[in-house]
Amino acid sequence: MIKQITNIDEIKYLTNTFHSKKKSVGFVPTMGALHAGHESLFKKSVSENDITVASIFVNRTQFNDADDYKNYPRTIENDLQVLEKTGVDVLFLPKHEEIYNDDYRYRIVENSLSKILCGSSRLGHFEGVLTIVLKLLNIVSPTKAYFGEKDYQQYLLIDGMCKALFMNVEIVSCAIIREKDGLAMSSRNLLLTHDERKIAPNFYKILRNAESTSLAKTQLERLGFQVDYIEDLYRRRFGAVFLGKVRLIDNVQI
Ligand code: AMP
């Protein structure tokens, strides 16, 4: 059975013990509802480190919409099976009250990249993300921490934060894992209706194939997507769309 820890002092003590024995610690932070995208991060960490810690924490401060937080899928029984299967050693399940012992008075603000793309439509989102990631990295003190390119803007911001603050951790990026039909795996896919799920793969197809961002937008809207943004930046095309109430994001190299 995987070791489960909720207490901050306990996980700090555990990872310090590994460091004192010169063992490397890999860390994969998640919000649960685990799928093959998360699995690929766990597997990479397990293959590159002596010990792997995963966390599951649905971080309230990064949700700009209370309903989105409430409806976020929570599938802990299945998550435990995924963690066991992939060889994760420790699951950290922190409590909101302990993590935010300061009532979120202290937070990380980035003033450039966090204000565009997802940052312009989800106000405060990346403050919540960067603050929780900093807290988790300080608690777990991993040798390496793993993040998916599915959330490429998030990965860039976290990598930038760790460099700006001289943190003693290597940030590793991992390729996007997709369903057979091309849809990027995401916990939120569970919230799509049967009909929305059938349309959803067109998001990736259009993002990849459209000749321009404006053509992509038109094609997506014609199929019933509500487009938040489609933008070409850093040799990538980034997109965020709604299908009904479900927000999907994706990005492709161009
Ligand atoms: P989440 O649970 O959505 O916060 O995701 C936890 C980590 O898994 C983040 O670093 C995500 O970028 C990564 N991740 C989520 N979905 C995928 C995917 N389809 N492919 C690769 N990484 C992913």
Side-chain angles (χ1 to χ4, degrees):
M1 273 281 278
I2 185 167
K3 191 173 177 60
Q4 296 181 42
I5 297 181
T6 51
N7 182 271
I8 290 176
D9 286 339
E10 200 179 327
I11 186 103
K12 273 185 155 181
Y13 178 79
L14 188 85
T15 53
N16 281 339
T17 313
F18 289 122
H19 285 305
S20 63
K21 291 181 185 155
K22 299 270 176 267
K23 292 198 185 293
S24 62
V25 176
F27 178 44
V28 186
T30 81
M31 298 207 296
L34 302 178
H35 50 68
H38 299 108
E39 272 181 44
S40 72
L41 274 59
F42 299 145
K43 285 185 189 151
K44 197 166 166 72
S45 175
V46 168
S47 73
E48 293 181 357
N49 297 281
D50 296 313
I51 192 102
T52 288
V53 177
S55 64
I56 296 181
F57 182 65
V58 185
N59 177 42
R60 212 181 292 167
T61 64
Q62 73 188 64
F63 286 83
N64 52 314
D65 174 344
D67 279 344
D68 189 24
Y69 171 72
K70 205 175 76 200
N71 297 331
Y72 198 83
R74 290 156 171 93
T75 61
I76 188 69
E77 292 307 321
N78 180 66
D79 292 354
L80 289 171
Q81 285 177 20
V82 172
L83 293 161
E84 297 268 1
K85 183 176 80 179
T86 45
V88 172
D89 302 280
V90 181
L91 172 60
F92 180 39
L93 289 158
K95 297 260 180 287
H96 177 90
E97 291 67 28
E98 209 186 350
I99 285 282
Y100 288 104
N101 60 355
D102 62 334
D103 283 333
Y104 197 37
R105 279 190 302 126
Y106 292 88
R107 52 184 86 177
I108 295 288
V109 179
E110 192 274 353
N111 272 322
S112 176
L113 175 58
S114 68
K115 307 297 180 197
I116 61 170
L117 304 174
C118 283
S120 63
S121 44
R122 299 187 71 191
L123 291 181
H125 170 65
F126 285 118
E127 278 182 30
V129 168
L130 292 175
T131 305
I132 185 61
V133 170
L134 181 64
K135 283 175 185 265
L136 291 172
L137 291 175
N138 280 336
I139 292 166
V140 177
S141 60
T143 321
K144 294 183 180 186
Y146 297 79
F147 295 89
E149 292 182 1
K150 153 95 183 346
D151 303 280
Y152 200 80
Q153 186 180 12
Q154 168 178 284
Y155 153 69
L156 288 177
L157 283 162
I158 290 167
D159 190 50
M161 171 181 76
C162 291
K163 289 186 171 121
L165 301 181
F166 306 103
M167 292 177 63
N168 212 1
V169 60
E170 184 186 332
I171 301 299
V172 182
S173 69
C174 305
I176 302 176
I177 305 297
R178 298 181 178 282
E179 302 283 358
K180 280 201 186 80
D181 59 17
L183 177 66
M185 290 201 178
S186 165
S187 306
R188 285 195 169 84
N189 294 351
L190 292 173
L191 303 174
L192 295 168
T193 63
H194 181 71
D195 288 345
E196 288 165 351
R197 177 64 189 80
K198 278 204 284 198
I199 304 166
N202 290 296
F203 180 27
Y204 170 58
K205 280 188 201 119
I206 292 173
L207 209 55
R208 201 183 46 181
N209 297 330
E211 276 173 26
S212 67
T213 53
S214 58
L215 277 173
K217 193 165 181 271
T218 314
Q219 290 170 17
L220 285 162
E221 284 173 349
R222 207 176 288 147
L223 288 172
F225 291 88
Q226 190 193 320
V227 177
D228 181 355
Y229 65 80
I230 306 286
E231 283 185 44
D232 293 347
L233 266 177
Y234 311 113
R235 301 227 202 111
R236 277 182 187 255
R237 178 166 292 166
F238 293 87
V241 294
F242 282 92
L243 263 181
K245 288 193 169 131
V246 184
R247 189 171 186 277
L248 302 175
I249 62 168
D250 203 344
N251 67 90
V252 295
Q253 268 180 312
I254 46 174

